[in-house]
Amino acid sequence: MKALFCCANSLKRELGGPKIQIELAEALRMHDWSCDLRGREEIMRDSSVDYSHNLKSYLQEFSEEYDVVEYEHFLLPFERSLFPSKTLFVARASLLAHHYLRIRLPKPTYWLDRVRKAIRPGVLHPSLVKAGVAQAQKTIEEADLVNVANRQDFQVLVESGIPENKILVQPYGLSEQSIRKLGALDANRKTSPRVAFIGTFDVRKGASEMPAIIDQLVQEIPGVCFRLLGTAAEFQTAEDVLKRLPQKHRSKIEVIPHYQSEQLPSLLEDCAVGLFPSYLESFGFAALEMMMASLPVAAYRAPGPSDFMPSDWLVQSGDSKGLVSLLSRWLKDPVFLENERRRASTLAKTLTWEKVAISTSLLYKKAIEEKFSQI
């Protein structure tokens, strides 16, 4: 079988969307699939039009060579009849757009960002969100299948009129390399009272609550410190992020805007627990990676993490005090923490790209057989 994965961003493993397709392609190749990946630079052959129209042109030219084509769930809002009928077209929801009509994200709490939003009022304007959801709905309706990674995505799509038999729920997993390297960290190793956070520093990932979380936890545990990894997005430098966190605690906060995936084990080695206050994910790789490194993770009960994390590690979205309570309990009780760390690594080992590849391969082959029988 031959598959083409079209990424809307550059093919970098450190980016969430491309990471999914890169690691799935690697796993499928172990099961006799031939997989090609195309990043944004290869798709954008005509700079006079947007990515969606470039993707349409690219797939009209090349998709007939493949059994399966995957692309982002809001970037191909065109009639299915424009493309080869025998190729299976799969829209992958790496962050389902429909949730933005349901999940209220907090407003930035710092004055500079309020000014920025006032200057650029169209960035998160409701009409743009609705237009984006409409484009996603059209893309999904025209696709042969839509692939989502969590049960809440499935439910939202069913409520929006997508037939259940058109939706595949396929969680993600860790690569063999990640399992080997992160799993090599001993759950019983000695660590400092350090809290790890992996993610971009923005409101979706909990940036608005981060100052309160840090301040409250320092009051509970004066010796606690924090390591924030992969923060670069809206704020590119460590200094930009630190300006938005409590000045009196900055000596306790280490910010690393960029890191390579192979550096992650050493960056998590001396951390005791993880923090993942995201309001919305397709899955939540960062939480799973921290768990694989034997860190229990305090998180919001949000789409994505809720599917694979223990319910007693989850609190209601926006409940910063609940997160602090979890982190504080772990850090104050070494015996309890040791048990939770073993629990974290045990749970993480059950989610692998190997399992996902086997399941995906079977489902795609079945869908192709059914498609051919109808042509």
Side-chain angles (χ1 to χ4, degrees), residues 68-224:
V68 179
V69 170
E70 269 203 21
Y71 46 88
E72 186 53 74
H73 76 292
F74 58 92
L75 291 176
L76 199 66
F78 306 105
E79 299 295 327
R80 178 65 179 85
S81 59
L82 296 174
F83 307 98
S85 60
K86 291 187 177 181
T87 301
L88 186 72
F89 273 58
V90 181
R92 178 174 289 277
S94 59
L95 196 63
L96 186 64
H98 297 61
H99 284 299
Y100 284 100
L101 294 178
R102 304 170 59 255
I103 296 175
R104 183 181 296 275
L105 298 180
K107 294 180 180 179
T109 55
Y110 19 82
W111 71 269
L112 183 60
D113 298 275
R114 290 176 179 170
V115 171
R116 183 182 290 110
K117 189 171 181 180
I119 295 172
R120 299 165 60 209
V123 174
L124 292 176
H125 195 279
S127 64
L128 293 182
V129 174
K130 289 180 180 179
V133 173
Q135 185 165 308
Q137 183 75 12
K138 175 67 173 176
T139 298
I140 292 168
E141 289 174 349
E142 295 297 333
D144 299 316
L145 293 175
V146 56
N147 198 322
V148 303
N150 68 76
R151 292 188 299 268
Q152 290 189 51
D153 284 8
F154 174 87
Q155 188 59 44
V156 169
L157 288 180
V158 170
E159 291 170 1
S160 73
I162 304 300
E164 290 188 19
N165 62 2
K166 186 174 176 173
I167 309 169
L168 302 181
V169 182
Q170 291 286 286
Y172 306 148
L174 293 174
S175 65
E176 289 185 9
Q177 182 181 24
S178 293
I179 292 170
R180 185 173 65 254
K181 292 186 175 181
L182 290 170
L185 298 176
D186 188 350
N188 300 322
R189 67 188 184 274
K190 291 188 180 297
T191 60
S192 57
R194 188 184 305 277
V195 178
F197 165 86
I198 303 176
T200 52
F201 191 81
D202 56 53
V203 292
R204 180 172 68 85
K205 297 280 190 177
S208 291
E209 298 94 281
M210 196 68 76
I213 291 170
I214 291 172
D215 189 54
Q216 291 167 21
L217 194 57
V218 170
Q219 291 181 44
E220 290 275 334
I221 304 173
V224 73

Side-chain angles (χ1 to χ4, degrees), residues 172 205 276 281-289 291 303-305 308-309:
Y172 306 148
K205 297 280 190 177
F276 195 68
E281 298 287 329
S282 60
F283 182 67
F285 272 118
L288 186 61
E289 288 172 331
M291 288 169 63
F308 66 88
M309 293 182 64

